[in-house]
Amino acid sequence: MAEHGIRADADTPLTLHPLVYLEDGGEVTIGRPDTDSYAIFPPDGARLVRRLAEGDTPAQASDWYAAEYGERADVQDVVDALRELGFVREDGEEAGAPEQLRWQRLGRALFSPLAWVCYAAIVAWAALRMIRSPDLVPTAQDLLFSDYYAVISVVLLIAAVPLIAIHEAFHALAARRLGVRSRTRMSYRFYFLVVETALDGLVAVERRRRYLPIMAGMLADCVLIALLITVADAARGPGGADTLTSRVCLALAFAAVLRLLWQFFLYLRTDVYVLITTMLGCVDLHTTSIRLLRNRVLRLLGRTGRLADESLFHPVDRRAARWYSWLIVVGYTVSLGTFVLALAPVLVQMVSGAVDRFGAGQQASWVGLLDSSVFLFLTFAQLALTIWIAVRERIRERRSRPHHVIA
């Protein structure tokens, strides 16, 4: 750090909000849990922040740094960064205090040893029933549980709300049991409309304790799929005959299986992606991998003048991106394959069936026409919603400022 001069307030101590510090992999994460504002500092920078937090003036902190490391630090740059991050308590501002989180007891109960035994028993029973009755294995054809397409769409749409809510609730409760706040918002990934739970405070939690909050949603999906299969099995008629209840449960189970499989499409920044980046200690593996792929394409085209400077990538990201970037290509391929082979045939069958009713003339009943109208409206409304969210996200990304990281 090169010194550019200390301003006139160098002899005035700073008042900082309560901060948390986490040393991990040669770096230190510092943040305010009450506002979910965090930044990564080198060890010497983190020690400098600690001196300021303990009451040293900027001038005293600069003298300490020079005596400790043999060079002057640009303390004013550090102070500016702390203000930008909201770490400095300005005049008249109340001291930040961690929010008293609700549902922490429920979070501890949901991930207690007894709960894990129950989850294992539910999944094991469903797996046993599928082995004995292969027709209980959810498939794409299970989505066609009714002759009325609008009914199928509405049931799947309504049922998806509590199923997704449970998935996100498991993320949030697994984190809240550690005292980490959560926020939920709607977003999109490729052609998927998704709901995200932001757990920014996990960056200040010991790495091995982050894994459960990250994977808790997939745990919820597995348990829900097992429960739906169990209910479908119990609801079948004599001799294993299908009933409306069993068909609906298998349809919902298949939809949940798709959401579970999508977690392995790593290019989507899914739960599995977050797990991998957490285990490797990456900063932004996705962006680095995309830029590395782009560089490879540009080299093949001979357009080397537009290459991104790979030396600017975080070293951990750069090493992992060499192999992870190929998983992005595989992920897109598998995603398109899943859509074409599993979802598209059913969707085409439903859309063509709905459209055909309008060409049936007097043979079409008003109920069938109403069903087709509602189904087509819901189908294209969901597509429009996905496009709108994608545009909104792109605008938000352009307006957002990058996180301040002191290097």
Coordinates of all heavy atoms in Angstrom, one line a residue, residues 94-149:
E94 N -27.0 5.8 15.1 CA -27.0 4.8 16.2 C -26.2 3.6 15.8 O -26.0 3.3 14.7 CB -28.5 4.3 16.5 CG -29.4 5.4 17.0 CD -30.8 4.9 17.3 OE1 -31.0 3.6 17.2 OE2 -31.6 5.6 17.7
A95 N -25.6 3.1 16.9 CA -24.7 1.9 16.7 C -25.5 0.7 16.1 O -26.6 0.4 16.6 CB -24.1 1.5 18.0
G96 N -25.0 0.1 15.1 CA -25.7 -1.1 14.5 C -25.7 -2.2 15.5 O -24.7 -2.4 16.2
A97 N -26.7 -3.0 15.5 CA -26.8 -4.1 16.4 C -27.5 -5.3 15.6 O -28.4 -5.0 14.8 CB -27.7 -3.8 17.6
P98 N -26.9 -6.5 15.7 CA -27.5 -7.6 15.0 C -29.0 -7.8 15.3 O -29.4 -7.6 16.5 CB -26.7 -8.8 15.6 CG -25.4 -8.2 16.0 CD -25.8 -6.9 16.6
E99 N -29.8 -8.0 14.3 CA -31.2 -8.2 14.5 C -31.5 -9.5 15.2 O -30.8 -10.5 15.1 CB -31.8 -8.3 13.1 CG -33.3 -8.5 13.1 CD -33.9 -8.7 11.7 OE1 -33.1 -8.5 10.7 OE2 -35.0 -9.1 11.5
Q100 N -32.5 -9.4 16.1 CA -32.9 -10.6 16.8 C -33.8 -11.5 15.9 O -34.9 -11.1 15.5 CB -33.7 -10.2 18.1 CG -32.9 -9.5 19.1 CD -31.8 -10.3 19.7 OE1 -32.0 -11.5 20.0 NE2 -30.7 -9.7 19.9
L101 N -33.2 -12.5 15.4 CA -33.8 -13.3 14.4 C -34.9 -14.3 15.0 O -34.7 -14.9 16.1 CB -32.8 -14.2 13.7 CG -31.7 -13.4 12.9 CD1 -30.7 -14.4 12.3 CD2 -32.3 -12.5 11.9
R102 N -36.0 -14.4 14.3 CA -37.0 -15.3 14.7 C -36.8 -16.7 14.1 O -36.0 -16.8 13.2 CB -38.4 -14.8 14.3 CG -38.8 -13.5 15.0 CD -40.2 -13.1 14.6 NE -40.2 -12.7 13.2 CZ -41.4 -12.4 12.5 NH1 -42.5 -12.4 13.2 NH2 -41.3 -12.1 11.2
W103 N -37.4 -17.7 14.6 CA -37.4 -19.0 14.1 C -36.1 -19.8 14.3 O -35.9 -20.8 13.6 CB -37.8 -19.0 12.6 CG -39.0 -18.2 12.2 CD1 -39.0 -17.1 11.5 CD2 -40.3 -18.5 12.6 NE1 -40.3 -16.6 11.3 CE2 -41.1 -17.4 12.0 CE3 -41.0 -19.5 13.3 CZ2 -42.5 -17.4 12.2 CZ3 -42.3 -19.4 13.5 CH2 -43.1 -18.3 12.9
Q104 N -35.2 -19.3 15.1 CA -34.0 -20.0 15.4 C -34.2 -21.3 16.0 O -33.5 -22.3 15.7 CB -33.0 -19.1 16.2 CG -32.4 -18.0 15.5 CD -31.4 -17.2 16.3 OE1 -31.7 -16.4 17.1 NE2 -30.1 -17.4 16.0
R105 N -35.2 -21.4 17.0 CA -35.5 -22.7 17.6 C -36.0 -23.7 16.6 O -35.6 -24.9 16.6 CB -36.5 -22.5 18.7 CG -35.9 -21.8 20.0 CD -36.9 -21.8 21.1 NE -36.4 -21.2 22.3 CZ -37.1 -21.1 23.4 NH1 -38.3 -21.5 23.5 NH2 -36.5 -20.5 24.5
L106 N -36.9 -23.2 15.7 CA -37.4 -24.1 14.7 C -36.3 -24.6 13.8 O -36.2 -25.8 13.4 CB -38.4 -23.4 13.8 CG -39.1 -24.2 12.7 CD1 -39.7 -25.4 13.2 CD2 -40.1 -23.3 11.9
G107 N -35.3 -23.7 13.5 CA -34.2 -24.1 12.6 C -33.4 -25.2 13.3 O -33.0 -26.2 12.7
R108 N -33.1 -25.1 14.6 CA -32.4 -26.1 15.3 C -33.1 -27.4 15.4 O -32.6 -28.5 15.3 CB -32.1 -25.6 16.8 CG -31.2 -24.4 16.8 CD -30.8 -24.1 18.2 NE -30.0 -22.8 18.3 CZ -30.5 -21.7 18.7 NH1 -31.8 -21.6 19.1 NH2 -29.8 -20.6 18.8
A109 N -34.5 -27.3 15.5 CA -35.3 -28.6 15.6 C -35.3 -29.3 14.2 O -35.2 -30.5 14.2 CB -36.7 -28.2 16.0
L110 N -35.4 -28.5 13.1 CA -35.4 -29.1 11.8 C -34.1 -29.9 11.4 O -34.1 -30.7 10.5 CB -35.7 -28.1 10.8 CG -37.2 -27.6 10.6 CD1 -37.3 -26.5 9.6 CD2 -38.1 -28.8 10.3
F111 N -33.0 -29.5 12.1 CA -31.8 -30.1 11.8 C -31.1 -30.8 13.0 O -29.9 -30.9 13.1 CB -30.8 -29.1 11.2 CG -31.4 -28.4 9.9 CD1 -32.0 -27.2 10.0 CD2 -31.3 -29.1 8.7 CE1 -32.6 -26.6 8.8 CE2 -31.9 -28.5 7.6 CZ -32.5 -27.3 7.6
S112 N -32.0 -31.3 13.9 CA -31.6 -32.0 15.0 C -31.3 -33.5 14.6 O -31.8 -33.9 13.6 CB -32.6 -31.9 16.1 OG -33.8 -32.6 15.7
P113 N -30.6 -34.3 15.5 CA -30.4 -35.7 15.2 C -31.7 -36.4 14.9 O -31.8 -37.3 14.0 CB -29.7 -36.2 16.4 CG -29.0 -35.0 16.9 CD -29.9 -33.8 16.7
L114 N -32.8 -36.2 15.7 CA -34.1 -36.8 15.5 C -34.7 -36.5 14.2 O -35.2 -37.4 13.5 CB -35.0 -36.4 16.7 CG -36.4 -37.0 16.6 CD1 -36.4 -38.5 16.6 CD2 -37.3 -36.4 17.7
A115 N -34.5 -35.2 13.7 CA -35.1 -34.9 12.4 C -34.3 -35.6 11.3 O -35.0 -36.1 10.4 CB -34.9 -33.4 12.3
W116 N -33.0 -35.7 11.4 CA -32.3 -36.4 10.4 C -32.7 -37.9 10.3 O -32.8 -38.5 9.2 CB -30.8 -36.3 10.7 CG -30.2 -35.0 10.3 CD1 -29.8 -34.0 11.2 CD2 -29.9 -34.6 9.0 NE1 -29.3 -33.0 10.5 CE2 -29.3 -33.3 9.1 CE3 -30.0 -35.1 7.7 CZ2 -28.9 -32.5 8.0 CZ3 -29.6 -34.4 6.6 CH2 -29.1 -33.1 6.8
V117 N -33.0 -38.5 11.4 CA -33.5 -39.9 11.4 C -34.8 -40.0 10.7 O -35.0 -40.9 9.9 CB -33.6 -40.4 12.9 CG1 -34.3 -41.8 12.9 CG2 -32.2 -40.6 13.5
C118 N -35.7 -39.1 11.0 CA -37.0 -39.0 10.3 C -36.9 -38.8 8.8 O -37.5 -39.5 8.0 CB -37.9 -37.9 10.9 SG -38.4 -38.2 12.6
Y119 N -36.0 -37.9 8.4 CA -35.8 -37.7 6.9 C -35.2 -38.9 6.3 O -35.7 -39.3 5.2 CB -34.8 -36.5 6.7 CG -35.2 -35.2 7.3 CD1 -34.2 -34.3 7.8 CD2 -36.5 -34.9 7.4 CE1 -34.6 -33.1 8.3 CE2 -36.9 -33.6 8.0 CZ -35.9 -32.8 8.4 OH -36.3 -31.5 8.9
A120 N -34.3 -39.6 6.9 CA -33.7 -40.8 6.3 C -34.8 -41.9 6.2 O -34.8 -42.6 5.2 CB -32.5 -41.3 7.2
A121 N -35.6 -42.0 7.2 CA -36.7 -43.1 7.2 C -37.7 -42.8 6.0 O -38.1 -43.7 5.3 CB -37.4 -43.1 8.5
I122 N -38.1 -41.5 5.9 CA -39.0 -41.2 4.8 C -38.5 -41.5 3.4 O -39.1 -42.1 2.6 CB -39.4 -39.7 4.9 CG1 -40.2 -39.5 6.2 CG2 -40.2 -39.2 3.7 CD1 -40.4 -38.0 6.5
V123 N -37.2 -41.1 3.2 CA -36.6 -41.3 1.9 C -36.4 -42.8 1.6 O -36.6 -43.3 0.5 CB -35.3 -40.5 1.8 CG1 -34.5 -40.9 0.5 CG2 -35.5 -39.0 1.8
A124 N -35.9 -43.5 2.6 CA -35.7 -45.0 2.5 C -37.0 -45.7 2.2 O -37.0 -46.6 1.3 CB -35.1 -45.5 3.8
W125 N -38.1 -45.3 2.8 CA -39.4 -46.0 2.6 C -39.8 -45.7 1.1 O -40.3 -46.7 0.5 CB -40.4 -45.5 3.6 CG -41.8 -46.1 3.3 CD1 -42.8 -45.5 2.7 CD2 -42.2 -47.4 3.5 NE1 -43.9 -46.3 2.6 CE2 -43.5 -47.6 3.1 CE3 -41.6 -48.6 4.1 CZ2 -44.3 -48.7 3.2 CZ3 -42.3 -49.8 4.2 CH2 -43.6 -49.8 3.7
A126 N -39.7 -44.5 0.7 CA -40.1 -44.2 -0.7 C -39.3 -45.0 -1.7 O -39.8 -45.5 -2.7 CB -40.1 -42.7 -0.9
A127 N -38.0 -45.0 -1.4 CA -37.1 -45.8 -2.3 C -37.5 -47.2 -2.4 O -37.5 -47.9 -3.5 CB -35.6 -45.6 -1.9
L128 N -37.8 -47.8 -1.3 CA -38.2 -49.2 -1.2 C -39.5 -49.4 -2.0 O -39.6 -50.4 -2.7 CB -38.4 -49.7 0.3 CG -38.9 -51.1 0.5 CD1 -37.8 -52.1 0.0 CD2 -39.1 -51.3 2.0
R129 N -40.5 -48.5 -1.9 CA -41.7 -48.7 -2.6 C -41.5 -48.6 -4.1 O -42.2 -49.2 -4.9 CB -42.7 -47.6 -2.1 CG -43.2 -47.8 -0.7 CD -43.8 -49.2 -0.4 NE -44.9 -49.4 -1.3 CZ -45.3 -50.6 -1.8 NH1 -44.6 -51.7 -1.5 NH2 -46.3 -50.7 -2.6
M130 N -40.6 -47.7 -4.5 CA -40.4 -47.5 -6.0 C -39.7 -48.8 -6.5 O -39.9 -49.2 -7.7 CB -39.5 -46.3 -6.2 CG -40.3 -45.0 -6.1 SD -39.3 -43.6 -6.7 CE -38.0 -43.5 -5.4
I131 N -38.8 -49.4 -5.7 CA -38.2 -50.6 -6.2 C -39.2 -51.7 -6.3 O -39.2 -52.5 -7.3 CB -37.1 -51.1 -5.1 CG1 -35.9 -50.1 -5.2 CG2 -36.6 -52.5 -5.5 CD1 -34.9 -50.3 -4.1
R132 N -40.1 -51.8 -5.4 CA -41.2 -52.9 -5.5 C -42.3 -52.5 -6.5 O -42.9 -53.4 -7.1 CB -41.8 -53.1 -4.1 CG -40.8 -53.7 -3.1 CD -41.6 -53.9 -1.8 NE -40.7 -54.6 -0.8 CZ -41.1 -55.0 0.4 NH1 -42.3 -54.7 0.8 NH2 -40.2 -55.6 1.2
S133 N -42.5 -51.3 -6.7 CA -43.5 -50.8 -7.7 C -42.9 -49.7 -8.6 O -43.1 -48.5 -8.3 CB -44.8 -50.3 -7.0 OG -45.3 -51.3 -6.1
P134 N -42.3 -50.1 -9.7 CA -41.6 -49.2 -10.6 C -42.5 -48.1 -11.1 O -42.1 -47.0 -11.5 CB -41.0 -50.0 -11.7 CG -40.8 -51.4 -11.0 CD -42.0 -51.5 -10.1
D135 N -43.8 -48.4 -11.2 CA -44.8 -47.4 -11.7 C -44.9 -46.2 -10.8 O -45.5 -45.2 -11.1 CB -46.1 -48.0 -12.0 CG -46.7 -48.6 -10.7 OD1 -46.0 -49.2 -9.9 OD2 -48.0 -48.6 -10.6
L136 N -44.3 -46.3 -9.6 CA -44.3 -45.1 -8.7 C -43.2 -44.1 -9.0 O -43.1 -43.1 -8.4 CB -44.2 -45.6 -7.2 CG -45.5 -46.2 -6.6 CD1 -45.1 -46.8 -5.2 CD2 -46.6 -45.2 -6.5
V137 N -42.3 -44.5 -9.9 CA -41.2 -43.6 -10.2 C -41.8 -42.5 -11.1 O -42.4 -42.8 -12.1 CB -40.1 -44.4 -11.0 CG1 -39.0 -43.4 -11.5 CG2 -39.5 -45.5 -10.2
P138 N -41.6 -41.2 -10.7 CA -42.2 -40.1 -11.4 C -41.6 -40.0 -12.8 O -40.4 -40.1 -13.0 CB -41.9 -38.9 -10.6 CG -41.6 -39.5 -9.2 CD -41.0 -40.8 -9.4
T139 N -42.5 -39.7 -13.8 CA -42.1 -39.5 -15.2 C -42.8 -38.3 -15.8 O -43.7 -37.8 -15.2 CB -42.4 -40.7 -16.1 OG1 -43.8 -40.9 -16.2 CG2 -41.7 -42.0 -15.5
A140 N -42.4 -37.9 -16.9 CA -43.0 -36.7 -17.6 C -44.4 -36.9 -17.9 O -45.3 -36.0 -17.8 CB -42.2 -36.3 -18.8
Q141 N -44.8 -38.2 -18.2 CA -46.2 -38.4 -18.5 C -47.1 -38.3 -17.3 O -48.3 -38.1 -17.5 CB -46.3 -39.8 -19.1 CG -45.8 -40.0 -20.5 CD -46.5 -39.0 -21.5 OE1 -47.7 -39.0 -21.6 NE2 -45.7 -38.3 -22.3
D142 N -46.6 -38.3 -16.1 CA -47.4 -38.1 -14.9 C -47.9 -36.7 -14.9 O -48.9 -36.5 -14.1 CB -46.5 -38.4 -13.7 CG -46.2 -39.9 -13.5 OD1 -47.1 -40.7 -13.8 OD2 -45.1 -40.2 -13.1
L143 N -47.3 -35.8 -15.6 CA -47.8 -34.4 -15.6 C -49.2 -34.3 -16.2 O -50.0 -33.4 -15.9 CB -46.9 -33.5 -16.4 CG -45.5 -33.3 -15.8 CD1 -44.6 -32.5 -16.8 CD2 -45.5 -32.6 -14.5
L144 N -49.6 -35.3 -17.1 CA -50.9 -35.3 -17.8 C -51.9 -36.0 -16.9 O -52.5 -37.0 -17.4 CB -50.8 -35.9 -19.2 CG -49.7 -35.2 -20.1 CD1 -49.6 -36.0 -21.4 CD2 -50.2 -33.8 -20.4
F145 N -52.2 -35.5 -15.8 CA -53.1 -36.2 -14.8 C -54.5 -35.9 -15.1 O -55.4 -36.4 -14.4 CB -52.7 -35.9 -13.4 CG -52.7 -34.5 -13.0 CD1 -53.9 -33.9 -12.7 CD2 -51.6 -33.7 -13.0 CE1 -53.9 -32.5 -12.3 CE2 -51.6 -32.4 -12.7 CZ -52.8 -31.8 -12.3
S146 N -54.8 -34.9 -16.0 CA -56.2 -34.5 -16.3 C -56.3 -34.3 -17.8 O -55.3 -33.9 -18.5 CB -56.5 -33.3 -15.5 OG -57.8 -32.8 -15.9
D147 N -57.5 -34.4 -18.3 CA -57.8 -34.0 -19.7 C -57.9 -32.5 -19.9 O -58.0 -32.1 -21.0 CB -59.1 -34.7 -20.1 CG -59.0 -36.2 -20.2 OD1 -57.8 -36.7 -20.4 OD2 -60.0 -36.9 -20.0
Y148 N -58.0 -31.8 -18.8 CA -58.1 -30.3 -18.8 C -56.8 -29.7 -18.6 O -56.2 -29.8 -17.5 CB -59.2 -29.9 -17.8 CG -60.6 -30.3 -18.1 CD1 -61.1 -31.4 -17.4 CD2 -61.3 -29.8 -19.2 CE1 -62.4 -31.8 -17.7 CE2 -62.6 -30.2 -19.4 CZ -63.1 -31.3 -18.7 OH -64.4 -31.7 -19.0
Y149 N -56.2 -29.1 -19.6 CA -54.9 -28.5 -19.5 C -54.8 -27.4 -18.5 O -53.7 -27.2 -17.9 CB -54.4 -28.1 -20.9 CG -54.4 -29.2 -21.9 CD1 -55.0 -29.0 -23.2 CD2 -54.0 -30.5 -21.7 CE1 -55.1 -30.0 -24.1 CE2 -54.0 -31.5 -22.6 CZ -54.6 -31.2 -23.8 OH -54.6 -32.3 -24.8

